């Protein structure tokens, strides 16, 4: 299932340990993401970007700011699983800010990821 798998990839912990057991479950801000762990324990500086569906955010854990609160430096996508079935009419969230009038979701995610990677040194 999407949300438990995302929580596992984000934290490196099984979903039963994160409490994200089904689609729509929110991840606790008490969880340590791998990105936060790396930033805390490795001397080198890493930048973290995530693009696309997040599906781990809700009213109790920062909503649109959740990816950034979990240690992602730059996030662009659908943090709360919004978007429904219309991939042409949706609201993009970038680092907690909403933007409408975005093209087809998959194209937008690929373009945004490519632009972010190209902007890194």
């Amino acid at each position: 299932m999407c949300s438990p798998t995302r929580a596992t990839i984000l934290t490196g912990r099984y979903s039963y340990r994160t409490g994200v057991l089904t689609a729509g479950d929110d991840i606790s801000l008490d969880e340590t993401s791998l990105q936060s762990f790396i930033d805390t324990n490795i001397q080198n500086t890493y930048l973290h970007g995530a693009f696309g569906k997040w599906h781990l955010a809700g009213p109790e854990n920062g909503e649109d700011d959740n990816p950034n609160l979990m240690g992602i430096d730059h996030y662009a996508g659908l943090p709360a699983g919004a978007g429904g079935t219309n991939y042409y009419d949706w609201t993009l969230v970038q680092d907690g800010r909403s933007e409408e009038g975005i093209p087809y979701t998959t194209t937008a995610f690929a373009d945004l990821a490519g632009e972010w990677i190209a902007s890194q040194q």
Side-chain angles (χ1 to χ4, degrees):
M1 292 176 55
C2 61
S3 297
T5 301
R6 284 185 179 93
T8 297
I9 291 169
L10 181 66
T11 64
R13 293 168 25 106
Y14 290 114
S15 60
Y16 73 90
R17 295 193 183 276
T18 65
V20 180
L21 303 174
T22 187
D25 286 351
D26 300 338
I27 193 164
S28 170
L29 292 175
D30 292 336
E31 289 293 332
T32 300
S33 70
L34 294 174
Q35 292 79 8
S36 294
F37 180 84
I38 289 168
D39 288 345
T40 303
N41 294 288
I42 306 275
Q43 291 179 341
N44 294 337
T45 302
Y46 289 87
L47 294 175
H48 314 287
F51 302 85
K53 297 177 183 179
W54 187 260
H55 291 217
L56 298 170
E60 302 298 318
N61 68 350
E63 293 194 88
D64 290 350
D65 291 318
N66 180 264
N68 302 113
L69 294 172
M70 293 299 298
I72 304 298
D73 296 316
H74 178 67
Y75 173 75
L78 301 165
T85 58
N86 188 340
Y87 291 90
Y88 291 96
D89 183 20
W90 60 289
T91 301
L92 169 70
V93 172
Q94 282 198 78
D95 299 326
R97 294 179 305 277
S98 298
E99 184 179 339
E100 295 189 30
I102 306 301
Y104 187 70
T105 55
T106 306
T107 303
F109 297 154
D111 290 348
L112 289 164
E115 291 168 9
W116 184 78
I117 291 169
S119 72
Q120 305 309 306
Q121 295 185 7

